[in-house]
Amino acid sequence: MSQALERAQLEPKSFSIRPVAGALGAEISGIDLSDDLSDEAIGEIRQALLEHLVIFFRDQDITPEQHLAFARRFGEIIQYPLVKGLEDYPDIIPIVKLEHETVNFGGLWHTDTAYLDVPPLGSILLARELPPAGGDTLFANMYLAYETLSDGMKELLAPLRGVNVSNTPKVTETRQERIKTGAKAAPDTILTATHPVVRTHPETGKKALYVNLAHTIRFEGMTEAESQPILEFLFEHQIRPEFTCRFSWAPGSIAFWDNRPTQHNPINDYQGYKRVMHRITLAGDKPR
Ligand code: SIN
């Protein structure tokens, strides 16, 4: 098959797509998510997600119902375990930082809720209200983080499992404002799950590094002190600039990330301003 024919067959018919960085991330244009999208268009979006790990849409003037309807096309919706959803839409979690607040929700590198036995497939985050500047989100590619390790480190990590918890001080601090008014679980709730340090993506079959600064505290069968030197190396390695992309939001922007081979980090650089986002999360699979 000629290269041109091969490319034409791979190119989506329902929208245009433009990578935003070398490592991951692509912006999709020419599609209105409030439309009743065909199965073909949804299939192409899913393919773009698998290929680019995080996909971005702009100027999507959608209601909460339309946001939910779009998300349902990709699977079952799950609620966030620790903070309540919107009163009228419990499946939508508001990710908010108010003018007087100083910490932002999830404001550190993390993959979502790795402390669950079955962490999410991904999330669809919609920007509602933004500061005049700042409030971007960084994403990082955990396939690349794994692939760029030495053979020796890959061998060392292969049999290891990471212990992930919901209550490290770093991550607890980023939830403190939302917990004040919207706590969903008792304050002493601690969720814990043990997962392979290197997971295999169930759809692409590729290996991804699956530890993160927010939740992974040690390797199973080892103490925190024993695990710390290797974890610290991995936390630094996995967010090298060349593994990342950065997204600047405007109202109506959407980021849809595959939570399995990525991490993200919303930047807290807009003190004194408000930022309001709506997130819907999709059920995933047990990491293997
Ligand atoms: C999150 O879901 O971790 C928040 C991302 C963001 O606020 O950009």
Side-chain angles (χ1 to χ4, degrees):
M1 193 189 305
S2 78
Q3 278 191 340
L5 189 56
E6 213 171 305
R7 242 191 343 266
Q9 286 189 348
L10 288 175
E11 264 165 29
K13 296 185 180 63
S14 318
F15 48 79
S16 306
I17 184 157
R18 182 183 61 85
V20 300
L24 80 168
E27 198 162 313
I28 287 182
S29 55
I31 190 161
D32 180 348
L33 302 188
S34 68
D35 283 349
D36 184 13
L37 297 174
S38 66
D39 289 344
E40 185 186 20
I42 294 294
E44 288 178 340
I45 293 173
R46 193 167 184 115
Q47 193 50 42
L49 179 69
L50 292 177
E51 225 167 276
H52 298 281
L53 317 191
V54 53
I55 48 179
F56 306 109
F57 303 85
R58 298 249 178 222
D59 304 316
Q60 299 294 329
D61 184 17
I62 59 174
T63 62
E65 286 86 355
Q66 288 166 334
H67 190 186
L68 286 161
F70 176 65
R72 278 190 206 105
R73 301 291 300 274
F74 297 91
E76 185 199 339
I77 293 172
I78 49 166
Q79 294 188 4
Y80 182 68
L82 302 174
V83 177
K84 285 186 195 144
L86 296 175
E87 199 170 318
D88 295 337
Y89 303 97
D91 286 342
I92 301 181
I93 174 182
I95 302 218
V96 176
K97 180 171 176 245
L98 300 175
E99 291 86 337
H100 64 277
E101 295 174 353
T102 55
V103 292
N104 62 334
F105 184 87
L108 76 174
W109 278 107
H110 65 282
T111 180
D112 287 330
T113 54
Y115 47 79
L116 297 178
D117 268 338
V118 183
L121 176 154
S123 281
I124 303 173
L125 184 67
L126 165 65
R128 291 286 183 198
E129 224 182 303
L130 291 161
D136 294 357
T137 304
L138 302 167
F139 295 87
N141 179 335
M142 293 304 108
Y143 294 137
L144 272 181
Y146 174 71
E147 286 157 14
T148 50
L149 293 170
S150 65
D151 289 345
M153 181 58 87
K154 285 180 187 157
E155 249 174 66
L156 180 80
L157 297 182
L160 296 183
R161 295 175 63 81
V163 177
N164 297 278
V165 300
S166 59
N167 70 329
T168 63
K170 297 187 264 294
V171 77
T172 303
E173 188 196 349
T174 75
R175 283 189 216 112
Q176 69 189 19
E177 296 292 355
R178 302 285 69 76
I179 296 283
K180 281 182 194 161
T181 51
K184 194 165 163 184
D188 54 354
T189 303
I190 302 174
L191 302 169
T192 305
T194 302
H195 296 305
V197 163
V198 178
R199 72 181 290 186
T200 302
H201 194 291
E203 292 175 81
T204 65
K206 289 167 71 174
K207 287 183 177 176
L209 187 57
Y210 195 62
V211 292
N212 74 98
L213 172 70
H215 304 303
T216 313
I217 54 164
R218 63 182 177 86
F219 300 118
E220 190 177 44
M222 289 171 66
T223 65
E224 288 187 32
E226 287 167 342
S227 310
Q228 193 188 4
I230 294 176
L231 282 178
E232 266 179 16
F233 163 76
L234 294 174
F235 295 156
E236 237 179 75
H237 165 81
Q238 65 191 176
I239 54 156
R240 274 165 44 183
E242 63 270 33
F243 302 158
T244 70
C245 72
R246 177 172 180 147
F247 186 59
S248 285
W249 301 88
S253 302
I254 288 180
F256 183 175
W257 63 86
D258 186 336
N259 193 53
R260 300 164 291 186
T262 63
Q263 294 198 28
H264 54 281
N265 181 4
I267 302 172
N268 187 12
D269 61 350
Y270 52 99
Q271 301 303 349
Y273 293 100
K274 187 176 177 185
R275 181 176 182 268
V276 179
M277 319 288 277
H278 284 176
R279 191 178 95 184
I280 299 179
T281 298
L282 297 165
D285 49 277
K286 200 169 169 53
R288 293 186 201 285

